Amino acid sequence: MDQQIIYLDNAATTKVDEKVVKAMLPYFSEKYGNASSMHNFGRLAREAVDNSRKIIAKSLNANEEEIYFTSGGTESNNLALKGLFLANKSSGKNHIITTKIEHDCILQTCRWLEKQGAKITYIDVDKHGLVNPLDITKAITPNTLVVSIIQGNNEIGTLQDTAEIGRICKSKGVYFHIDACQSFTKSFIDVEKQNLDLVTINAHKIHGPKGVGALYVRKGVNIQAIQNGGGHEHGLRSGTENVPGIAGFGKAVEIADKKQLKNIEKLRDYLIKNILKIPRTRLNGASKERLCNNVNISFRDIEGEAIASHLENYGIIVSTGSACASHTLKKSHVLRAIGLNDLEINSSIRISLSKFTTKKEIDKLIRVLPSIVNTLRTMSPVANNQINRKGGKMTKIKDKFTEFAGSFKNEGEFEEELEEEGLDPEEVENKHFEEEN
Amino acid sequence: MENAQYEKKVMKRFFNPKYAGEIKNPSAVGQVGNAACGDIMRVFIKVEADKKTKKEKIKDIKFKTMGCVAAIASSDAVCEIAKGKTISDAKKITKKDILKKVGKLPQIKHHCSILGEEALLKAIENYELRTKLHKA
């Protein structure tokens, strides 16, 4: 590739830090022993695994023996919910509380568990994507086994009040699991202070390798394995340890620097501020309770994949919540849950930063984005910004009405928008009919 | 930049659509929307009778589309195919013709080419309705 890549899709995955690569390398063809072997050669691998376990446990304020390595976030989330359900089935605790904005690996696990007899409550979120802890309290029944919540949302970046929900779970005697794939090393996680019983984390979102993750399970939690084998990881997760991956995971956690978070957050806010200068844009997700690296914006009247493709032409990599870009043409359930309509969902892009993101890169994005949006809006049959340039209130009004008449918008919203611009909806409608006839 | 999903030909058309825009006093307009994907396409046609054959021809055609890469590229392709065709020939344009013109699209994007076919048909339908009314 001859063009410099500006990678802004760090919520999907991140660049592996060179220090991480270096930490992994010896465990491929030098110290390649099996960490479970009795001999000294295996012990070298075991030391690497134990060292990473120590680092990760410390970062969560947990004990080493409470960290179980897995193949990643999806497996950890599966293990958490399925393992809890299967272990506690006979006690009648078959109720799981989760939210409508979870990652698919939680939602699909819940759908599967429903078929196995579990009862699942999917809690609504507000327009910022925030769970009201009161709703959790209300949903808890004597049969509730676990509350499972995504700490930092992967699409809109909203951070939940983990401490408060943890307090509720503890007082009600219910297990509390968080999916911290996006928030690990970025937001505060302390299994004691936040009363966390299970925590899903992974490596590839924090400049570690793909294919490795972990599940924190508090000592005493009644959980069982979901895959059978040689009894690795204290019997909870059989399978030969991914030693290079685990070594890299530990390194990635070790070098995660809190000081960098402030910088990322600053860049994030600078980017949000500048994108919102483009007319008819909205920030999706909370502005305060937000992952330091997440920006999610809807651009009225245009489609996300088209925006992302134009950006890619400049070497800027982002992702979109648009159905058009998904494998299944399925619209984002997260954007739907915060109340966006189909057009707004399809017009969203997610920009996710990392410690490697520079101001220069963000400035390039800010420079090219307005003209891309303008080009696509000029091409859009539902946009009216190009009419503005031609001037003439009537043309604008007429286009507005055409937009309305196309019924791609609900009436209330349309009227609201007209009023915002100081126009009387009734007058607009009448004038349009006068023109038509 | 290469795009994993689309071949170069499609991207080229997406970045530089020749027929994007609108016709000031069109003979007819057709608009269709696709609920599954959220794409909306509007086609403007200018119809004139050929001086020799007296047959009605699409003299000019433009589109406005809100949609993804495939939708915009397909819109441009349908315009290119339809321009200069007689009304009866333009009616025969199918999504197959559009797909052939636009280039390889992923299977999941094939519905975008139907959008082009439908929008053009709708414009022609509106044109015929209008001329019928006029004659009546």
Side-chain angles (χ1 to χ4, degrees), chain A residues 1 3 5 301-303 305-306 309-310 312-313 315 323-329 331 343 346 376 378-382 386 390 402 408, chain B residues 1-3 5-6 11 14-15 17 20 22 31 33 35-42 63-70 72 108-109 111:
Chain A
M1 273 178 269
Q3 195 174 22
I5 293 294
D301 307 329
I302 53 180
E303 192 274 332
E305 191 207 78
S309 297
H310 268 287
E312 196 173 345
N313 204 34
C324 296
S326 84
H327 300 299
T328 51
L329 294 185
K331 290 186 181 76
L343 283 193
N346 275 336
L376 290 171
T378 308
M379 225 182 272
S380 167
V382 292
Q386 68 275 20
K390 281 190 211 156
T402 319
F408 297 113
Chain B
M1 260 309 293
E2 293 285 326
N3 187 299
Q5 217 186 353
Y6 301 107
M11 293 312 286
F14 166 71
F15 286 128
E22 56 187 299
Q31 179 167 319
C37 192
D39 292 340
I40 298 159
M41 180 183 180
R42 190 184 294 173
F63 78 89
K64 280 197 159 198
T65 292
M66 187 197 72
C68 59
V69 173
I72 288 173
I108 201 159
K109 296 284 188 176
H111 69 269

Side-chain angles (χ1 to χ4, degrees), chain A residues 22-54:
Chain A
K22 220 175 142 195
M24 292 172 73
L25 283 177
Y27 298 97
F28 284 103
S29 41
E30 210 179 300
K31 304 175 190 173
Y32 54 85
N34 187 322
S36 299
S37 296
M38 297 297 291
H39 44 67
N40 266 341
F41 197 55
R43 189 180 48 80
L44 292 175
R46 165 62 52 196
E47 279 171 5
V49 172
D50 287 346
N51 182 47
S52 289
R53 206 187 300 277
K54 206 179 284 176

